[in-house]
Amino acid sequence: MKTYQITVLKGDGIGPEIVDQAIKVLNKVTEKYHVRINYQEEYIGGAAIDATGIPLPQQTIDACQASDAVLLGAVGGPKWDSMPGNRRPETGLLGIRSALGLYANLRPAVIFEPLRSASPLKEEIIGDALDILVVRELTGGIYFGQRGRNTVDSVESAYDTERYSVTEVERIAHIGFEMAQKRNKSLCSVDKANVLESSRLWRETVIRVSQEYPDVALEHMYVDNCAMQLVRNPKQFDVILTSNIFGDILSDEASMISGSIGMLASASLGKNQFGLYEPIHGSAPDIAGTGKANPLATILSVAMMLRYTLGEPQAAKAIETAVAEVLTKARTPDIYTEGTQLVNCSEMGDLVCELL
């Protein structure tokens, strides 16, 4: 029997609730496919601040580095909004990505058939199916560039620097092209090369890397046009490759096309397919503890973990099939429609387990 070590970072807000359901489903499916999971729980974000005074303790980093994969809930909340920038819960998230060398973020935007009516887009725009993968560079760019404030002639100003090296662009481009090879062999690289020098370097590097993938069709698009095309004609996209800040914005836009941000998983990968897996929604402190949270994005994140890091594609597919089936019968409040059973967070986890 294969055994894997998973570090669990439940985090803040609804994080503990949704992670508990994901672990429940993971235990069920691994039992079926004869896999053993050992868990170690650590602190991150606001929970880490409360417990240790800092958003990312060294003990958390050490545990993650010693594991096969990391499962994360959510980080942040108004309780810690008054903290200085370098002590806010979100710095724990940025810090763990950097410490683990997680440079590639995969965010699928998929419409499950039972949720087609939940999409804000008309059915003729969505078409028969919608399945987009956003590949976002995660440890470079403006989020990690030089920043600061200064005062000149009594006027205060602030700056953040967008910076990319050829090496950073090359490694994320390879991930994008490899993902496209496994899908529909189409990749759209998104930049702002008409204005930004960093985007010109991005485009030049992506073109050079593309020569190693002659079977993948490469297209370039400015980020403002891509944002428009996602709502005008999303069917044209297969894999979208882009920088940290553009990927952050576009993947959230793509997520809403699917009908609910509570349905979308993500994977952050580093060397040798080591990954951190988390839902893309936030900590939703307004519904924490009410049972209203939708655990399906976290459950689907576990499916991504099984596929990309643990090498258990059959188990991953079993979870995805169970989620698609449960949506025909039951919904949490964020995706509820008349004619389906309204369930809470824990009940949704139970239903997925039953279908497994």
Side-chain angles (χ1 to χ4, degrees):
M1 179 178 288
K2 296 180 182 177
T3 301
Y4 301 102
Q5 180 72 29
I6 305 299
T7 297
V8 177
L9 310 176
K10 293 183 178 181
D12 311 319
I14 63 172
E17 303 166 57
I18 56 179
V19 168
D20 283 347
Q21 300 313 306
I23 290 175
K24 182 192 297 182
V25 170
L26 182 56
N27 287 337
K28 183 69 174 181
V29 78
T30 51
E31 177 186 340
K32 180 179 178 180
Y33 287 93
H34 307 292
V35 174
R36 179 182 291 116
I37 303 291
N38 294 326
Y39 302 98
Q40 180 171 343
E41 186 174 341
E42 298 292 345
Y43 292 115
I44 193 171
I49 293 172
D50 291 347
T52 70
I54 57 176
L56 182 61
Q58 185 62 45
Q59 180 174 323
T60 297
I61 296 173
D62 293 342
C64 291
Q65 289 176 335
S67 65
D68 295 300
V70 179
L71 177 61
L72 172 68
V75 168
K79 178 181 179 180
W80 305 280
D81 281 350
S82 61
M83 302 289 291
N86 64 346
R87 306 276 288 185
R88 288 174 64 93
E90 293 79 6
T91 62
L93 183 56
L94 294 175
I96 196 64
R97 290 170 178 170
S98 180
L100 299 178
L102 305 176
Y103 61 86
N105 183 233
L106 310 183
R107 288 193 175 187
V110 179
I111 292 185
F112 287 87
E113 182 62 30
L115 294 181
R116 286 173 63 85
S117 62
S119 173
L121 299 185
K122 297 178 180 178
E123 289 200 12
E124 56 265 31
I125 294 177
I126 297 172
D128 296 334
L130 186 67
D131 184 356
I132 301 170
L133 179 64
V134 179
V135 178
R136 166 191 171 193
E137 201 287 323
L138 202 57
T139 57
I142 199 167
Y143 290 165
F144 291 90
Q146 290 184 338
R147 64 191 62 185
R149 296 191 179 196
N150 52 39
T151 301
V152 178
D153 296 332
S154 300
V155 178
E156 186 179 15
S157 62
Y159 63 91
D160 299 275
T161 307
E162 171 83 354
R163 183 184 182 91
Y164 270 110
S165 68
V166 168
T167 301
E168 289 173 316
V169 181
E170 284 178 340
R171 65 184 184 182
I172 191 66
H174 282 295
I175 294 290
F177 282 108
E178 289 167 5
M179 292 296 161
Q181 283 183 320
K182 298 173 183 177
R183 292 167 54 91
N184 296 319
K185 295 182 170 56
S186 175
L187 183 143
C188 179
S189 177
V190 175
D191 57 41
K192 194 62 176 171
N194 58 334
V195 176
L196 302 177
E197 193 63 36
S198 57
S199 280
R200 295 185 186 108
L201 175 71
W202 178 283
R203 183 173 293 205
E204 293 165 5
T205 306
V206 170
I207 291 173
R208 186 168 61 255
V209 172
S210 72
Q211 297 173 4
E212 301 179 38
Y213 304 89
D215 57 330
V216 176
L218 172 62
E219 177 186 10
H220 301 279
M221 192 174 289
Y222 296 143
V223 62
D224 45 349
N225 185 33
C226 182
M228 179 182 67
Q229 294 296 332
L230 275 170
V231 294
R232 177 180 177 272
N233 182 24
K235 294 178 292 184
Q236 68 184 283
F237 296 109
D238 179 25
V239 175
I240 295 175
L241 171 69
T242 193
S243 66
N244 203 340
I245 187 169
F246 294 161
D248 193 3
I249 296 166
L250 293 175
S251 58
D252 279 359
E253 181 188 8
S255 73
M256 288 312 299
I257 295 174
S258 72
S260 173
I261 198 169
M263 287 298 303
L264 299 178
S266 77
S268 299
L269 304 179
K271 291 182 178 180
N272 302 318
Q273 296 296 99
F274 177 87
L276 180 149
Y277 296 85
E278 60 179 317
I280 75 167
H281 57 68
S283 61
D286 56 319
I287 62 169
T290 67
K292 295 180 179 179
N294 184 349
L296 292 180
T298 318
I299 290 169
L300 290 168
S301 296
V302 162
M304 293 184 76
M305 177 193 294
L306 288 163
R307 175 172 286 109
Y308 291 118
T309 294
L310 304 187
E312 301 288 342
Q314 288 183 308
K317 184 63 176 176
I319 291 177
E320 292 162 351
T321 300
V323 168
E325 186 173 349
V326 79
L327 288 170
T328 66
K329 306 172 182 178
R331 309 282 178 86
T332 45
D334 60 312
I335 52 174
Y336 175 74
T337 56
E338 189 174 349
T340 60
Q341 178 187 358
L342 180 63
V343 298
N344 63 29
C345 182
S346 180
E347 290 169 338
M348 180 61 82
D350 290 339
L351 287 172
V352 174
C353 286
E354 288 177 16
L355 290 167
L356 285 168

